[in-house]
Amino acid sequence: MIRVKRAAAGTCAAVLMMAGLYLSTAGPAEAAPVRYKCKAYFQLDKLGRPEAYSECWRSRRGKALNQHRAKIVCEQVQGAREHVVQWTLYGDWAAPKKTSTVRCGFKNFLMGGGVETRRK
């Protein structure tokens, strides 16, 4: 009976020692990345120019990102024969809880836009 107790105690000690060794060699757990959901908004500024701004907020279903920026597509009618020129403008990169803004010039029409995101 004493031999069985000693064998059981030795086995338990070996198992606990191996578990402790495993836990001590495991690195620190990395925190889960923070997820954000972003959206672009469009409006006319005080002078009548098309403007876009983007915002990001925390969301469980969003994606991990470090920066975002607003994107706007503008069209302008130019020249005597009235040809259309289209270009895409981008706002500055901003942190997730900050706002990124971009606007077209005068006599421009808003054609579209959105939000661009990146993760470093």
Side-chain angles (χ1 to χ4, degrees):
M1 184 76 160
I2 293 176
R3 289 183 189 176
V4 174
K5 287 183 179 179
R6 285 185 184 168
T11 305
C12 287
V15 169
L16 291 174
M17 187 174 16
M18 291 302 290
L21 183 62
Y22 173 75
L23 290 175
S24 67
T25 58
E30 291 187 26
V34 179
R35 297 186 175 277
Y36 294 94
K37 189 168 188 170
C38 301
K39 188 171 182 181
Y41 301 92
F42 303 96
Q43 64 186 13
L44 295 176
D45 69 357
K46 294 177 184 177
L47 302 175
R49 297 174 291 189
E51 178 181 53
Y53 66 96
S54 63
E55 296 178 338
C56 295
W57 60 92
R58 287 182 101 157
S59 172
R60 288 184 183 169
R61 293 187 176 187
K63 61 182 183 178
L65 61 97
N66 290 343
Q67 295 178 324
H68 70 96
R69 68 179 176 180
K71 175 176 101 171
I72 192 168
V73 180
C74 306
E75 276 191 357
Q76 184 177 36
V77 179
Q78 294 181 344
R81 297 197 179 172
E82 295 186 354
H83 63 283
V84 176
V85 177
Q86 184 180 60
W87 62 87
T88 304
L89 302 169
Y90 299 93
D92 294 331
W93 289 106
K97 294 184 179 181
K98 305 287 183 182
T99 303
S100 174
T101 306
V102 63
R103 71 175 52 102
C104 298
F106 291 104
K107 298 183 182 179
N108 281 271
F109 299 98
L110 173 66
M111 299 308 294
V115 181
E116 283 193 353
T117 60
R118 74 176 176 188
R119 184 174 180 188
K120 288 184 180 178

